[in-house]
Each structure stands twice: as structure tokens, then as C-alpha cells.
Amino acid sequence: MAVKERIKLKLYQPFARMIGVSQEYFADVFPEEMAAKTASIPDEHMVTPPASIAVPAMHGLSYSFDDPDLKEMYLNLLTAAADDRRSEDAHPAFVEVIKQLSARETNLLNTVLLARETPLVRLDDRLETGGYDILLMHVMNLRDLNGEPIEDPAVPAWVDNWGRLGLVRVGYEVSLHGGNLYDWARKRPEYIRFSEGTMVRITKGYIARTAFGERFLRAVSPPPATAATVATISVSPQVAGD
């Protein structure tokens, strides 16, 4: 109860008039959820986040508190901003980043950001003239929890979105080195499907986390006391490196 009252004092009350929606959630559920997030923050390090982060983040929560993945990101961002030992990890731009993510892409994004670098390929149609037409961009080694290859037609657009938001850098001018990082490409269902009657060329590429993406990952991940759980998030689809 003391922690919940602290949340109301530090987070809810200063910004209650600025939110204007979902009052029942913020008055009842929000303090309880934030209390669990901030329980490990000592009183001397608990601060009221800057309005530039708290107000838009709470607005975002107003429209996504019923989606567990997006809500988790907002709550973790607010937790980082409320801890003066981690407040530098939080950035006002991160609220807008979360707003421009779909709930379905967050698990794959977390996996890519945690990996730092991930191999991906582009499928090209070789032309008789020596050139090529692009068949499919940003093919990743996606697998389900049983290790079976799966396709998701939304992934190429997601990758473009992450690049647009500055979270990752994507390129095909160089490839990643080491082992059998791209052996999976010819076994992908996309490659097999396009290869029927087409001379498909595989162009190797990469998706790499930017400095902005690294800071975003820290800000929207659980606090350090529970950070070990980040690496064990159940992800579907999964990305295998080789």
C-alpha cells in the first residue's frame, strides 16, 4: 500500500489533469502495476519523471493498456524515468517509437535488438541481361517454438519501420562473417517457392542494432532486478542465427 501511494504521489497525481482518459485504469490498476515495477527503487532514488516522458507515455497507455506487450514497454519506460539512477536511459522520443509499433511486432523486435546483429537475405530474380529484379526484401530465419520455419508477410514492413524509427540499420552491401550464418537461406519456404521457374539469387545482408536502439532496449526492458527475464521472453516467431 505504501508503494502504491508513492506511485500515486510521484506519477499519477502530478499528471492526472493532463491525461483526461481512462481515469479508472490510472486511479486503480496503474498504481498497482507500477508499484510492482518500482518496488526495488529506494525512496531516495524515486523521482517524478519529466512531463515530456510521463504525459505522452500515460496517454499511450490509455489506448494500449489492454495489450500486454505494448503496456509492458510503456510501464518499463516510466519505471526507468522514475529512477534517477536510470533516468538517462529514458528519452522522450521513445514514447513516439512505442506508439508507432504494432503489438505483434514487439516480440520479434526485442529478439533482434537483444541479438545486436542478425543475418538476413534479399531474394533477387536474375535477368538474362545480367541485372536482377528484387523478389522479396528482408528474409529472416524465422522459426516457431518447435524449430520449424515459418513465414510472416508483415516482417519486411516491420524491418523497414524499425529502420525508419532509428532502432536498427539494415544493409546488403556487406554480410556478417562466421560459421554458417546464411546456410538457412536456401531452405527457407520463400526461397523454395520463388525458385520454381525462376533463377533466384540470394543477396546476403544484415540487421544491426543502432546506439539509439540499444538505449531504447534498456529503457523498455524490465528494471535491473528483473532484467534476467528479458533473455527468456517466449518469442513467436523466433530468429535463428544459422
Side-chain angles (χ1 to χ4, degrees), residues 178-200:
N180 305 315
L181 291 180
Y182 296 92
D183 284 0
W184 50 268
R186 296 184 185 277
K187 303 173 186 177
R188 289 293 306 170
E190 299 94 334
Y191 176 84
I192 295 172
R193 184 172 66 254
F194 281 117
S195 294
E196 297 178 1
T198 304
M199 294 290 292
V200 178

Side-chain angles (χ1 to χ4, degrees), residues 53-91:
I53 295 176
V55 174
M58 294 169 83
H59 267 295
L61 267 172
S62 300
Y63 301 105
S64 60
F65 61 81
D66 57 346
D67 186 283
D69 295 317
L70 294 176
K71 181 175 74 170
E72 181 77 2
M73 284 187 164
Y74 282 120
L75 292 177
N76 287 336
L77 177 60
L78 284 169
T79 301
D83 187 342
D84 65 7
R85 301 167 300 177
R86 300 182 59 216
S87 56
E88 285 300 313
D89 287 341
H91 191 284

Side-chain angles (χ1 to χ4, degrees), residues 37 72-83 85-91 94 97-98 109-116 167 209-230 233:
K37 292 284 186 184
E72 181 77 2
M73 284 187 164
Y74 282 120
L75 292 177
N76 287 336
L77 177 60
L78 284 169
T79 301
D83 187 342
R85 301 167 300 177
R86 300 182 59 216
S87 56
E88 285 300 313
D89 287 341
H91 191 284
F94 294 161
V97 170
I98 300 173
L109 174 61
N110 281 336
T111 302
V112 168
L113 293 179
L114 282 167
R116 183 173 296 180
L167 301 174
R209 184 180 70 196
T210 63
F212 185 74
E214 180 179 3
R215 184 171 168 185
F216 174 78
L217 178 65
R218 291 200 305 267
V220 301
S221 295
T226 57
T229 62
V230 177
I233 290 176

Side-chain angles (χ1 to χ4, degrees), residues 118-132:
T118 302
L120 76 167
V121 301
R122 188 182 71 208
L123 302 182
D124 302 325
D125 181 7
R126 293 179 179 176
L127 303 178
E128 293 181 358
T129 58
Y132 61 88

Side-chain angles (χ1 to χ4, degrees), residues 19-175:
I19 301 170
V21 290
S22 303
Q23 295 293 337
E24 182 177 349
Y25 167 76
F26 284 104
D28 300 326
V29 182
F30 175 73
E32 183 174 342
E33 292 180 334
M34 283 300 298
K37 292 284 186 184
T38 61
S40 62
I41 303 177
D43 286 342
E44 63 269 22
H45 292 293
M46 183 78 175
V47 296
T48 298
S52 59
I53 295 176
V55 174
M58 294 169 83
H59 267 295
L61 267 172
S62 300
Y63 301 105
S64 60
F65 61 81
D66 57 346
D67 186 283
D69 295 317
L70 294 176
K71 181 175 74 170
E72 181 77 2
M73 284 187 164
Y74 282 120
L75 292 177
N76 287 336
L77 177 60
L78 284 169
T79 301
D83 187 342
D84 65 7
R85 301 167 300 177
R86 300 182 59 216
S87 56
E88 285 300 313
D89 287 341
H91 191 284
F94 294 161
V95 179
E96 292 304 317
V97 170
I98 300 173
K99 285 182 179 180
Q100 297 180 65
L101 296 173
S102 68
R104 223 165 54 82
E105 69 188 291
T106 55
N107 278 343
L108 184 58
L109 174 61
N110 281 336
T111 302
V112 168
L113 293 179
L114 282 167
R116 183 173 296 180
E117 292 180 335
T118 302
L120 76 167
V121 301
R122 188 182 71 208
L123 302 182
D124 302 325
D125 181 7
R126 293 179 179 176
L127 303 178
E128 293 181 358
T129 58
Y132 61 88
D133 287 332
I134 296 175
L135 296 171
L136 187 61
M137 297 285 291
H138 312 328
V139 178
M140 304 173 71
N141 191 17
L142 300 181
R143 297 180 180 274
D144 62 21
L145 296 178
N146 296 317
E148 295 298 321
I150 57 173
E151 293 185 65
D152 191 328
V155 169
W158 291 349
V159 173
D160 283 341
N161 187 40
W162 305 339
R164 178 184 66 86
L165 293 171
L167 301 174
V168 301
R169 181 176 64 257
V170 179
Y172 293 96
E173 69 282 357
V174 297
S175 59

